[in-house]
Every structure is written in structure tokens, then in C-alpha cells.
Amino acid sequence: NAGVTQTPKFRVLKTGQSMTLLCAQDMNHEYMYWYRQDPGMGLRLIHYSVGEGTTAKGEVPDGYNVSRLKKQNFLLGLESAAPSQTSVYFCASSLIGAETQYFGPGTRLLVL
Amino acid sequence: GQQVMQIPQYQHVQEGEDFTTYCNSSTTLSNIQWYKQRPGGHPVFLIQLVKSGEVKKQKRLTFQFGEAKKNSSLHITATQTTDVGTYFCAEDQAGTALIFGKGTTLSVSS
């Protein structure tokens, strides 16, 4: 099992460009999460999903959209990237809510 | 919103010294989880505490949950260079998600 995978690993964007980060899990987990990690700020929840076809806002949802069309995939979209969105993005999944979360390796995003 | 506070933010120790990080909440927690993130890596689950006053050990790591379920601690005995990283506590948010503390970054010099 690959666990949780994320693509791409690293990306550079110009302000105003759009992109989609892909998260995939092969553990048949119901719940999936997107976090961003910035120095000194810990892990902040952007959006999450409690099952296929569902999404919910986390602590810092502004500027991001998500979709969960398939149970194993959770997509994070940036419609118009801003330098403030420069961060490391982690995806995680869990079998049920608030239980052990399994994290992907992360995506480093730089917005110029 | 609710958030657990972690202290200290940074800690440097000599190899062989002990280390403790604390996690405090203003509200009663249903449970608390601890994660470790190595430099350049991703968070990895360590343990979950559920019961009031619970103490769990993993080799040199000792985890405690306070009697009032408002605080928790992680203690490492005789640190090693492999203990380097950031340790996060995380609280259950309504059974659907976790809210992470800002973490304690541990550095160890040999």
C-alpha cells in the first residue's frame, strides 16, 4: 500500500495563476483533510471531507476550493494564487473522524 | 475557536538530557493525540490519550493526560539525536477533525 500520496511535490506559481493539488489514499478511509504548514504556525486545517461527495470548511478556507468526487481522492484548488499562499500543504486521511490521521509527504508551493 | 496551546515553542538539549513538552486547553478535551514530524518530513501519529489521568509509555517516551482532561504532556527520557523534530498535540474537533497545536521543536546536540 502506498498510503497517502500527493502530487506535485513542488511547484512555483506566479501571482494570479491557478493550480490543483491532488491527494490520493488507498486505505479506504472515509475522512480526508487538507492542511497548510507555515513556520511557527503549526498545521492549520483548510478544508476536510467526511465522505465521497462532501466537503467542509476548516480554520483557513479562504482562497481555496476542494472537491471529493471519488472516495480515494481529495483535490485542493487555488483559483488565483497569492504570495500569502506560499506554504507546505499536507493531505491526511483517517478511517473515521478525529481518529489517527495518516499524512502524505507534502507539497511545497511557492507563489511569486 | 478552540485551540490547544503548546509550550515551549523551541527546546534545545544536550544528548542524554530529558525533554518535556506541554499541551494546554481552556476546555475539557474528549481525547488528545500526539504526532512527531522529523525535519523535512510529514507528521506521524504517536499516540492517543482518552482517559482522565492516563499515562502511556513508548520506550523512552511517556505521555500523560491530565486529571481534568485539560492538559497533556510528552516526556522524553535521555534524548537521542533521533528524537529531533517537532512534536504536535492535536485535539478532537466535534469528532470530525483535529485541531493541532503549534508544536514544540526539539533540537539535540551530541
Side-chain angles (χ1 to χ4, degrees):
Chain A
N1 289 350
V4 180
T5 58
Q6 293 182 233
T7 52
K9 288 184 170 55
F10 177 70
R11 184 75 183 269
V12 179
L13 288 179
K14 294 182 179 179
T15 297
Q17 288 185 318
S18 63
M19 78 164 294
T20 301
L21 283 69
L22 171 64
C23 176
Q25 52 94 5
D26 62 2
M27 296 175 283
N28 202 34
H29 285 172
E30 288 293 334
Y31 288 68
M32 295 187 75
Y33 311 87
W34 276 108
Y35 296 91
R36 61 177 289 173
Q37 184 173 37
D38 304 291
M41 298 298 292
L43 293 157
R44 292 184 292 171
L45 183 64
I46 304 172
H47 286 280
Y48 63 99
S49 169
V50 303
E52 182 179 316
T54 74
T55 63
K57 293 180 180 180
E59 301 171 85
V60 289
D62 294 342
Y64 304 96
N65 56 75
V66 288
S67 64
R68 184 121 180 250
L69 299 180
K70 293 183 178 181
K71 186 177 183 178
Q72 63 267 35
N73 296 335
F74 195 28
L75 278 63
L76 177 70
L78 287 73
E79 290 186 349
S80 179
S84 61
Q85 294 178 305
T86 292
S87 188
V88 179
Y89 292 86
F90 286 102
C91 175
S93 70
S94 62
L95 184 60
I96 56 176
E99 290 296 320
T100 304
Q101 291 191 7
Y102 297 85
F103 284 79
T107 294
R108 292 184 178 275
L109 176 64
L110 175 62
V111 183
L112 302 175
Chain B
Q2 62 188 64
Q3 184 177 22
V4 286
M5 304 301 293
Q6 271 190 266
I7 54 171
Q9 187 175 4
Y10 300 99
Q11 181 80 56
H12 176 79
V13 299
Q14 294 288 323
E15 189 173 22
E17 293 181 337
D18 292 356
F19 160 77
T20 304
T21 174
Y22 300 90
C23 189
N24 300 304
S25 173
S26 58
T27 60
T28 302
L29 304 170
S30 57
N31 62 74
I32 196 155
Q33 297 184 25
W34 286 92
Y35 290 75
K36 177 183 178 181
Q37 183 178 23
R38 295 182 186 275
H42 59 274
V44 175
F45 173 80
L46 293 176
I47 209 159
Q48 181 180 47
L49 304 173
V50 179
K51 299 178 182 177
S52 168
E54 189 169 17
V55 178
K56 288 188 176 181
K57 292 189 176 184
Q58 291 179 351
K59 297 183 181 179
R60 293 177 296 103
L61 278 60
T62 301
F63 302 85
Q64 291 189 316
F65 203 9
E67 293 290 342
K69 300 182 74 173
K70 289 187 175 182
N71 56 74
S72 181
S73 65
L74 159 58
H75 179 81
I76 302 178
T77 303
T79 55
Q80 300 176 358
T81 54
T82 54
D83 295 324
V84 164
T86 300
Y87 294 84
F88 294 99
C89 63
E91 61 170 327
D92 179 347
Q93 183 186 35
T96 57
L98 294 177
I99 299 299
F100 284 79
K102 293 186 178 180
T104 295
T105 298
L106 172 65
S107 60
V108 180
S109 53
S110 56

